[in-house]
Amino acid sequence: MAFRFVHAADIHLDSPLRSLALRDPELADLIGNATRQAFTGIIDLCLAEEVDALFLAGDLYDGDQTSMKTARYFANQLHRLDQAGIRVLIVRGNHDALSRITKELVLPDSVKVFSGRAEAIPVEGAAGEPRVVIHGLSFAQPHAPDSLLGRYKPPIEGAVNVGILHTSLAGAPGHDPYAPCSVADLRATGFRYWALGHVHKRFVADGPCTIVMPGNPQGRDINEAGARSVTLGTIADDGSIRIEERRTSVAQFERTVVDAGGLADWRELIATIAKALEKTRASVAAGHLVVRLQIVGKTPLAWHMRSDLDLLRTEVEHRAAATGACSVEKLEIDCQPPDVSPVSPSDPIAELRRLIESEIVGSDAFQQDAIEIGEELRGQLPQECRHLFGADEAGLKSFVLSLAQEGADDVLARLHAQAKAGQG
Amino acid sequence: MRIRRLDLTRYGRFTGRTIDFGPAGENEPDLHVIYGPNEAGKSTALAAFLDLLFGIGPRSPFNFLHPYPTMRIGAALEFARGTRELVRVKRPQNSLLGAGDQPIPEAIVQAELGNIDRESYQTMFSLDDDTLEKGGESILASKGDLGQLLFSASAGLSDLGRNLEEIRGEAERFYKYRARSGELADLKARLATLRVEREKVDTFAAQYAQLVATRDKTFSLYNDALAERAKIESRLGEIERLLIALPRLGALRDIRQRLLPLADLPDIPRDWAEQLPGMQKDEIALATRAQAAEDEVVRLEGQLAAIIVDRTALALTERFSGLSDLRARYVTATKDIPERRLQSREADLVISGILERIERKDEPEPGKLVLGASITASLQALVESWSGIEAALKAAENELDAARGGVEEARVQLDAAGGTSESEGNPSGIASSLGPVVAALRADDHAARRRLADRAHATHLRALGDRMQELRPWSGDIEQLAGLKLPDADTIDRWKKEAAAAQRQLDRREDEIERLTTERDRIQAERDALAVTGIVSDQEASDVRMARERAWASHRRSLDEASADTFEATLRQDDIVTTTRLGHTTDLVKLQEASRALVVADSSLGRAVSLRDAAKTVLQRVGEEMAAALGDASPALPVTMTLPQLEAWLSRRASALEVRASLLSVQHDRDGADSDARTAHDRLTAALAAKGITVEAEPGFEALLETAQDAIDREGELEGRRAALAARQRDQRGRERDLEKVTAARTGWMDAWQSACKRCWLGDAETMPSIGAVREILAALVEMRPVLEKRASFADRIEKMENDQAAFAVELEAMARDLGIASAGVATLDLGRDIQRRVDAARAAEADRISTQRDLDAALAKQRALAADIAIHAQLKTERIRCFGVQSLAEMAVKLQTIEKRNGLQEQYDAAARDIVAMLRISTIDEAERLLDGLERGTLEAELAEAKPRFADLDQRSRDLFSDHSKACDAVEAVGGDDAVARIEERRRTTQLDVEDKALRYLRLRLGSAAAEHALRAYREQHRSSMMARASDAFRTISRGSYESLATQPHKDGEMLIAVGADGRSKTAMELSRGARFQLYLALRVAGYHEFARSRPSVPFVADDIMESFDDFRAEEAFRLFADMAGVGQVIYLTHHRHLAEIALRVCPSARLHQMEA
């Protein structure tokens, strides 16, 4: 009989999605708490595939996750597996090291949470002659600057050895280094499968030792764009290992770039965006698509888009809704007007623009004003939003001044539009 | 934009007038001065220029000469991309036209004008006194583009400040300094609400641990309390039981006392007492029943001995009953046999009748005569077909006779028609050759055409006569009329036009002469009146002056008194004249005007007269030309004919000529018809001759046609007769063939008949039987077959019945012998009845014997059973009596009552002991007695009183603890695994993102508008100096330094312009003199024009005599400024002051002067 397992990691249960798209209450209802929905999906997968075990390679919750409801939910799901006779093997990750909530829970006996001392658990075969052995180790601290690999037990002779490890590997952008080690190190252990966790992007290394970093099963913001998955593994009787990727995202984040270059007609622009949305939607299997749209290119509509951003957003959202199971969380306009129409030097708005660039932005008087505006707003914002302004005065100044130029472009675009409307 | 040429095609007083500005000179100021006296149309030209650019207003006043639909202004305008020819007409839409009068968009012109509207253009750059002033005031009120330009530093920036305010307002919807409401406040409130909501539903790990600890603690306390409570409860029960048991023990001991004397009574089975009354009753009943049984047995044995059975008869019982069927048949046969014999004889009679019918009376075996089915069928078929054959033969013979008659009749008819049946193969061919000719000639319509032509000819001749009459006075025949050489239509048309034009001219000139003559006479009278009132005319004054000069010259030469007097006289006269003229300057002017008017009137009159004369000449010439032409045409035509008369005559001639043409056409038709008639006649004659049909000499066409038709008809009739004869002959041959066929069929039938008869006894005779005979025989044989069958069946039945009767008699006789009954001479049925009686008696006796024997057996069995019962009863009684040591059942009853009483007491004792043992929860009553004997009731009651309240307390406590524990369990369970917290967190996160997003937007808008405001201030600073400086310079120039400069100072909502005088005093515009104010206004326009031209294509600057209040020096300065402006764009100045034109040319020699005539 083959030994079958599901390998997931970085569940980050109840970690909220970060998207402005959720301002739409209907959408919030639909894809809200997607991390939980995804985890339920993983449990359903285990039951449907009748696997023998579920490996969870760390980071069950966010470190600051404090609600016992989350832990209770987690325990309930593991009970479902317990009733079906499916074992669960868990190593803790850096986030779990901070978490208190699991400690308060009573988990079923079929659940194995690896402790701070390396253990090798036989999961299949006779007592003296195990066929599959699972190795694991949970580091108790949130930081693990050194490799933990050396602390794992040596492979059991004659058995298929599988290791579960929470590691940043050689380091990944956006992830703290944690128990670093290299693929070569992992291969050198003599294990046949390494079930990794920590990095939120899928990574698979084949060979005599299969190394899988499944990524998190549900992207939480645009920085976790793309399809998300877990791994369904089968250890055949001859010890060979076959893996399949199984999609788990309830909602999928995607960036879509629309080239509006050369478009001069507003309706044409909307149609082009709609087409891009439909194309992206068609390429995504998840139940819902959340798109961040970036519109680029040189187009005479550049100012129009800036000045009528709200209108554009409304129309695009409308088109997204028409596409079906698709939302636009943000619209980024990165368009320039075409070079071919040199602005008359006597155009007052052009002159204002020139003045702003050459005289105003750099002037002490304006900078003073800008910093005051920034400080005033920062004082009014809720504490959790103040990080926008950077850590210190210098950060605030550079932040405010960087916005000033963009803001001036926005304002000039609107003045331009209003002036044109006034003439028309 | 520049105007190259203005075409006043139809506009106001102008018709086809053009002002050509020509191309702009290279590096020369593009300054144009249009000079024209009053009423020359300068203002109209300016209005036309504006209308060209912006359209003609709906109620234009310039339609007094050219009505709206015809108004038209054209121009050649120089645009940035070349010169364009444009036309403006008056229409609600599409009034601007390009090449080929195709509408073109207004935007073309608007774009070149920098999108200024008409009003702005008028107040800025197209000035007259009125707009100069009004526009100037509005500029100072910072209205319009120039006003904005002056104060807000740039046109187009006017709305920026307001728009920036709007943007800022939009930003502040999110957050505004010190405002309590706004989106940010709402979002913060939402965050706070969510936080509270979360706190309400969430449970943290520490709280959860606490909840679990509470649950476990309450559980343990609850268990402890329960244990304690149970202990006391148990003790309470025990005491209560002991207190109940104590009195019970007393009762127990009492019963035990009462049982002691009854201890030696035997223990007997429980049911003995119950059975005793039964036993006593049974004893008596058994004795009675034994006696009755004995009596019954004796009675039955006697009865049995009396019954005797006839054994022989009994043995025959079965055999006799087996005869019942045979007996029934015997009875039936006795009735049936005579009847059947009768029927059989009837059948014999029928058969012999039939045999007689078919003449075979002596046939011994009638069955042999019956024929087989196949022979019968053949004979019947032949009989049926015979009548058909007979009928067919008859019919065929009749039809043949009729056909022969028909042939004869047809032959007779052909002979009568003159033909012979033999010539039918040789037709004459008359029909085929003559037929088409006759048909074609009948279709020919020449005769009809000839009649129509004759009628039309007569009608036309009459009409022609009438028409010729109408042409009087001309006379002649129609051919002469047709040959007349008359003037052609063009010539007459030309005459008409010339004459009409000349006549109109003549009429108009006559009117004019009339009017002018009156006018001249009036002026003449006016002048004469002035002269009469003493006005010396110029001529007279001149004459007097000349006279004076001559007198002076002569006096100088002679220097004598006479000459001096003469000179004096003339001098005085001249003085008088001069004085008079001076005294009547006004009259003099009028006189001069009258003289001029008179000259003009004379001249106009002369012109009118000469034009009238010219028209007369033309009229005369036309008349002469016409007369000449008529003379040439015919002397019969009067040369005095007027042009309309001539036209009428020519029209009548044309209708006469039409009639002539019709007449000629009719004649042509008639000739054609005649020619066709001849051709037809010839063709028919030839055709008849070819067939050898002779005709009488010179027959008419109709007679010829008839002859030919007769020949054709006769030929047709003969053909018909011949064909009828042939048909009849064909018919006769057919009939003959039919008769042959029928005869053959009859012969065949005869053969078949004979062979059929031979196959049976019918053919045995020498002659074959006839059809009728056979038909009868067949019918008789059909009747005979069933009768034969019926007779055979009767014979068979009779035989069987006779056999049955015999068998029955034999059997009865045999039985009678066995029973010893004499059978001889006894009727069979009577014998049967005797045997029956014997058998029945034997069976009855046997049944009686069996029944009595059975009753006896039963009585004996009953007697035996009763004896056994009596034995059992006696043994039981003996056994029980012995047990009690008594003699009878009655004594035994007394003993039994005592035992029953003892048993009752024992039961009471046992029950009490069980109660006590159970109550005290110990095993034996002895232990209980020991326990209770060691107890004190008072002590127990005291203990009970103390324990009861303790128990109540503990009970309450355990309840409370249970409730606490339940609550703690609920609290732990309530934490649940739902996602309420996660969803709130997600909403909180989304709200934070929303705050951040909106904060960024706020910042962008706020920072952007702050930057724009800064930039706007800088821009204004830079640009104000430019226009203000130009206006300052221009004002200083025009005012020739009276004013040093212009400046602004803040005022109420905006800024106010002030003029700074050379003396340093400053004045507002309203404080300036009118002249100075107009100079200021012009200076503003000059500055605005330059400023405007900096940012847009230049537009023409047009001014209409705006320098009325300027002195020459200031006008000169103004023209200098114009020349300067003309370096930037086109400047056009319209004036009726020649000196201004001269100043302009002096200041700017390259300026172009355009004259406009009055």
Side-chain angles (χ1 to χ4, degrees), chain B residues 771-1053:
Chain B
I771 284 178
V774 171
R775 196 185 281 132
E776 284 305 310
I777 291 167
L778 285 178
L781 289 179
V782 166
E783 281 173 39
M784 192 169 77
R785 184 192 291 268
V787 180
L788 283 173
E789 283 164 4
K790 225 185 252 161
R791 191 179 67 176
S793 147
F794 288 147
D796 184 46
R797 288 286 298 280
I798 291 165
E799 190 187 345
K800 280 177 182 160
M801 279 190 285
E802 282 169 350
N803 291 344
D804 285 349
Q805 278 183 326
F808 182 61
V810 168
E811 187 65 12
L812 282 183
E813 278 161 16
M815 282 185 192
R817 263 193 315 276
D818 289 352
L819 290 171
I821 298 172
S823 60
V826 181
T828 308
L829 284 177
D830 292 343
L831 187 61
R833 262 191 298 281
D834 291 346
I835 295 169
Q836 173 96 53
R837 265 194 300 276
R838 284 283 297 273
V839 168
D840 286 349
R843 280 173 63 194
E846 177 65 8
D848 198 16
R849 186 194 63 81
I850 289 167
S851 156
T852 309
Q853 182 64 50
R854 208 166 34 237
D855 289 350
L856 179 61
D857 291 349
L860 287 172
K862 209 167 151 189
Q863 201 177 29
R864 278 192 302 276
L866 201 53
D869 284 352
I870 290 166
I872 291 165
H873 185 265
Q875 192 176 348
L876 191 64
K877 181 183 162 189
T878 315
E879 211 174 277
R880 293 199 178 170
I881 289 170
R882 197 186 303 132
C883 189
F884 284 100
V886 292
Q887 295 305 309
S888 69
L889 286 173
E891 283 170 293
M892 184 180 142
V894 176
K895 284 281 184 190
L896 276 175
Q897 273 171 7
T898 315
I899 288 172
E900 200 163 337
K901 188 177 164 196
R902 187 203 65 186
N903 286 353
L905 282 175
Q906 186 64 46
E907 272 171 21
Q908 282 175 25
Y909 178 82
D910 291 347
R914 269 200 309 276
D915 274 3
I916 291 166
V917 166
M919 228 179 267
L920 300 184
R921 291 166 189 175
I922 46 179
S923 44
T924 64
I925 189 70
D926 294 345
E927 276 178 63
E929 281 185 72
R930 274 197 299 279
L931 175 67
L932 288 172
D933 288 345
L935 287 175
E936 192 65 39
R937 187 175 184 91
T939 319
L940 283 176
E941 281 172 347
E943 193 183 344
L944 185 67
E946 190 199 4
K948 263 187 178 167
R950 268 196 71 199
F951 173 76
D953 289 348
L954 275 171
D955 188 51
Q956 186 57 45
R957 178 166 165 71
S958 61
R959 274 176 216 279
D960 293 348
L961 284 170
F962 177 74
S963 158
D964 290 350
H965 175 61
S966 299
K967 278 183 195 154
C969 288
D970 289 350
V972 170
E973 279 314 305
V975 171
D978 62 83
D979 63 352
V981 172
R983 286 203 178 257
I984 291 170
E985 268 309 294
E986 200 154 59
R987 283 210 288 282
R988 215 151 75 95
R989 180 66 57 90
T990 307
T991 310
Q992 281 172 20
L993 286 178
D994 202 11
V995 169
E996 289 171 19
D997 182 56
K998 285 178 171 148
L1000 281 176
R1001 180 184 156 85
Y1002 165 84
L1003 278 177
R1004 286 159 74 110
L1005 290 180
R1006 276 287 278 121
L1007 293 169
S1009 48
E1013 278 162 13
H1014 276 269
L1016 195 55
R1017 275 199 291 278
Y1019 184 94
R1020 281 183 174 150
E1021 207 52 51
Q1022 288 174 10
H1023 285 257
R1024 169 149 59 189
S1025 43
S1026 151
M1027 171 150 173
M1028 196 61 81
R1030 273 183 198 278
S1032 244
D1033 289 349
F1035 187 44
R1036 189 170 56 242
T1037 305
I1038 304 176
S1039 68
R1040 291 179 68 83
S1042 297
Y1043 291 91
E1044 190 56 42
S1045 65
L1046 294 172
T1048 61
Q1049 64 183 43
H1051 170 71
K1052 277 200 284 180
D1053 303 328

Side-chain angles (χ1 to χ4, degrees), chain A residues 6 68 84 87 104 148 188 207 219 226 240 266 270 374 382 389 403-404 406:
Chain A
V6 168
M68 274 312 287
R87 303 191 62 164
E104 303 299 339
L148 296 177
S240 65
W266 185 259
I270 300 293
F389 289 86
L403 272 186
E406 283 179 45

Side-chain angles (χ1 to χ4, degrees), chain A residues 46 59 64 76 88 106 117 138 165-166 183 208 219 257 259 289 321 327 342 364 366 370 394 414:
Chain A
C46 291
D59 284 358
D64 54 358
N76 289 345
V88 181
V106 182
R117 269 216 335 255
S138 291
L165 172 63
H166 197 71
V183 169
V257 179
D259 186 2
L289 168 67
S327 311
D364 290 343
F366 173 71
R414 294 172 59 147

Side-chain angles (χ1 to χ4, degrees), chain A residues 18 23 33 36 67 406 414, chain B residues 170 202 977 986 994 1004:
Chain A
R18 259 185 297 260
R23 280 189 292 197
N33 207 357
R36 195 182 263 223
S67 177
E406 283 179 45
R414 294 172 59 147
Chain B
E170 189 184 321
D202 196 14
E986 200 154 59
D994 202 11
R1004 286 159 74 110

Side-chain angles (χ1 to χ4, degrees), chain A residues 212-224:
Chain A
V212 177
M213 178 77 77
N216 55 343
Q218 169 63 53
R220 292 166 300 167
D221 57 31
I222 193 65
N223 296 318
E224 294 179 352

Side-chain angles (χ1 to χ4, degrees), chain B residues 411-464:
Chain B
R411 199 184 300 279
V412 170
Q413 280 176 353
L414 179 59
D415 291 345
T420 54
S421 56
E422 287 71 27
S423 65
E424 65 190 276
N426 182 23
S428 64
I430 287 172
S432 59
S433 57
L434 269 185
V437 175
V438 170
L441 292 176
R442 272 194 199 288
D444 199 71
D445 63 344
H446 57 81
R449 277 189 284 141
R450 171 70 204 227
R451 278 193 304 281
L452 285 175
D454 286 347
R455 269 206 298 278
H457 191 254
T459 314
H460 288 322
L461 272 180
R462 275 196 303 280
L464 186 63

